[in-house]
Each structure stands twice: as structure tokens, then as C-alpha cells.
């Protein structure tokens, strides 16, 4: 998704401010050679990538997207059992007896 110049500047500023100060984790479905779609400026793209990969561990996975694969195979949801509504995720607190 292409960013507006202001959005790209905010992202670049974040990366520049955190460079060598704090950790940053970035996920993307684009390889670095396609990051010019984000920043639109080759100099800003190169500077952002440079800051990200310096002292970095880059994990690259060449696999099908889990969410895309799952949505393609997704079947309609199973109906809820008759006479029951789904309960809360956490157990209810026990009520004290007032007798």
C-alpha cells in the first residue's frame, strides 16, 4: 500500500529516532528491493533499510501467507449447538451465598 509523503516521513522519522537506541521489529510482505513503494524516494528507502538492517537479525520466510492460505480454505462456521449460547472465555466468578 503506497503511503502519502507525510506517512512515509513519519515512518522514516520513527526508524531514525530509534536507530541504535531501541529495538524495532518490522514485518512486511515486500522484499527490500520493493520498499520504494513505501517511501517513493530512493534515498529515503536506502536510509531506512540501512538503519533497519544495521545490527539486525533479518528473518525471511519464503512461504505462503498463513492468513491468505487459511482464508482460501475457510469453510462456513459451524452452527452453535441448539439451546446453548456460547459462554464467556473466562469462568464466571462464584457468587457468595447470602443465607
Amino acid at each position: 500500500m503506497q503511503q502519502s509523503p507525510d506517512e512515509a516521513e513519519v515512518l522514516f522519522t520513527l526508524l531514525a529516532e530509534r536507530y541504535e537506541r531501541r529495538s524495532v521489529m518490522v514485518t512486511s510482505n515486500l522484499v527490500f528491493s520493493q520498499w520504494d513503494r513505501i517511501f517513493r524516494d530512493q534515498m529515503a528507502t536506502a536510509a531506512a533499510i540501512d538503519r533497519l538492517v544495521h545490527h539486525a537479525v533479518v528473518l525471511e520466510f519464503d512461504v505462503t501467507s498463513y492468513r491468505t492460505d487459511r482464508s482460501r480454505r475457510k469453510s462456513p462456521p459451524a452452527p452453535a449447538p441448539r439451546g446453548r449460547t456460547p459462554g464467556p472465555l473466562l469462568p464466571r466468578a462464584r457468587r457468595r451465598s447470602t443465607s
Side-chain angles (χ1 to χ4, degrees):
M1 171 176 221
Q2 285 194 345
Q3 307 298 315
S4 72
D6 290 339
E7 291 169 329
E9 184 177 338
V10 167
L11 178 58
F12 181 81
T13 301
L14 171 73
L15 296 174
E17 289 293 321
R18 293 188 63 91
Y19 177 61
E20 292 194 339
R21 293 187 186 133
R22 298 279 187 226
S23 298
V24 175
M25 180 181 213
V26 176
T27 63
S28 175
N29 61 344
L30 298 176
V31 294
F32 289 135
S33 63
Q34 295 175 337
W35 274 37
D36 57 348
R37 295 181 188 178
I38 299 169
F39 293 100
R40 296 184 188 169
D41 175 14
Q42 288 185 349
M43 292 297 286
T45 302
I49 292 169
D50 182 60
R51 284 166 174 80
L52 275 175
V53 300
H54 188 231
H55 304 300
V57 174
V58 177
L59 302 175
E60 183 175 352
F61 301 96
D62 188 17
V63 296
T64 306
S65 164
Y66 172 79
R67 289 184 297 263
T68 302
D69 186 48
R70 188 152 187 218
S71 68
R72 286 182 184 150
R73 292 186 290 133
K74 192 173 184 180
S75 59
R82 288 184 144 190
R84 290 186 61 198
T85 57
L89 296 176
L90 300 173
R92 292 184 184 173
R94 294 183 186 200
R95 294 184 186 187
R96 292 186 193 181
S97 169
T98 56
S99 38

